[in-house]
Amino acid sequence: MEGRSASHTVGQDLRRLRRLRGLKQGHVAELLGVTQATVSRWERGLAWPDETHAAPIAALLSPGRAGQDAALKRLVQRSRDPVHLICDRSHRLLAASAAREAEWTVSASTVLGQPLLSYATPQILDAEAGLAGAGWYDRPDGVLDLETETNHRPDLLIRRSRMRWERILLEDGTAGRLVTTLRWGGPAPETTKN
């Protein structure tokens, strides 16, 4: 039974990464030398890959993009635009540009790794609530532009603005979300940096 549990996890991982990378079951089946129905059974936990498929599945599940997350974070941090990168599911802050950090009264390093959803405006929460229904999590990438009002939070200010969310595949197969302010809709409230 222990093997079945591990195989079921492999099937779930295979489905998640296949969807994140935008691969069809038929293509994965071709890469692994099996039928599409076999891949479907693995993903649903109804069948388990045998030993001959262990290495090819491991290779398919390996990110193969070592170092790209670090490069992406450096690009975000060095950007002149107000931009930050979060985990697409947990909303944990992964990186922020100096322009974004300048809007806040706290250093980005103090909130690095912390979920930022509690700072969201009603407009951001509404957009977030509609993502699953729009198939956002089923695609490896996606772009959404939205308008938001201010959150009136001096610590992590969100100004009245138009912003863009861009979904980006990360090394570990999870997705990140690049959040960029495209334009501000008015003056920001007075804040002081601590």
Side-chain angles (χ1 to χ4, degrees):
M1 194 63 162
E2 185 175 272
R4 285 185 172 203
S5 176
S7 295
H8 184 66
T9 300
V10 168
Q12 290 171 338
D13 290 345
L14 183 61
R15 175 179 33 214
R16 181 176 55 83
L17 289 174
R18 178 182 61 75
R19 287 179 173 173
L20 283 172
R21 293 178 182 164
L23 300 174
K24 301 281 187 195
Q25 281 183 341
H27 183 65
V28 170
E30 185 179 322
L31 292 172
L32 296 174
V34 297
T35 66
Q36 181 272 328
T38 299
V39 173
S40 176
R41 286 192 301 274
W42 289 346
E43 289 184 358
R44 292 181 292 149
L46 301 175
W48 297 269
D50 60 32
E51 305 263 339
T52 62
H53 295 104
I57 289 173
L60 189 63
L61 293 178
S62 70
R65 298 161 36 134
Q68 287 191 0
D69 282 0
L72 175 61
K73 289 175 185 177
R74 278 193 312 276
L75 287 171
V76 168
Q77 291 166 342
R78 293 177 182 168
S79 175
R80 293 182 176 169
D81 297 324
V83 60
H84 64 278
L85 178 67
I86 60 172
C87 172
D88 196 43
R89 290 277 187 174
S90 70
H91 303 95
R92 289 179 301 107
L93 180 66
L94 303 175
S97 68
R100 175 69 80 218
E101 192 173 5
E103 299 173 348
W104 301 340
T105 58
V106 297
S107 167
S109 63
T110 63
V111 289
L112 198 63
Q114 300 297 314
L116 300 185
L117 197 57
S118 62
Y119 299 95
T121 66
Q123 296 80 20
I124 291 172
L125 292 174
D126 286 346
E128 188 71 38
L131 292 178
W136 177 266
Y137 300 109
D138 298 328
R139 297 188 309 259
D141 56 10
V143 176
L144 175 70
D145 287 356
L146 64 132
E147 302 278 341
T148 186
E149 295 297 323
T150 183
N151 65 352
H152 301 288
R153 296 280 304 260
D155 47 355
L156 265 74
L157 175 68
I158 297 172
R159 295 180 182 193
R160 181 173 170 234
S161 60
R162 180 167 186 77
M163 63 176 54
R164 175 169 290 156
W165 293 349
E166 296 172 276
R167 195 161 198 259
I168 300 170
L169 186 63
L170 301 176
E171 287 178 26
D172 65 359
T174 63
R177 185 183 307 171
L178 196 60
V179 180
T180 306
T181 300
L182 301 175
R183 75 173 193 293
W184 287 296
E190 297 275 332
T191 60
T192 54
K193 196 88 159 164
N194 291 343

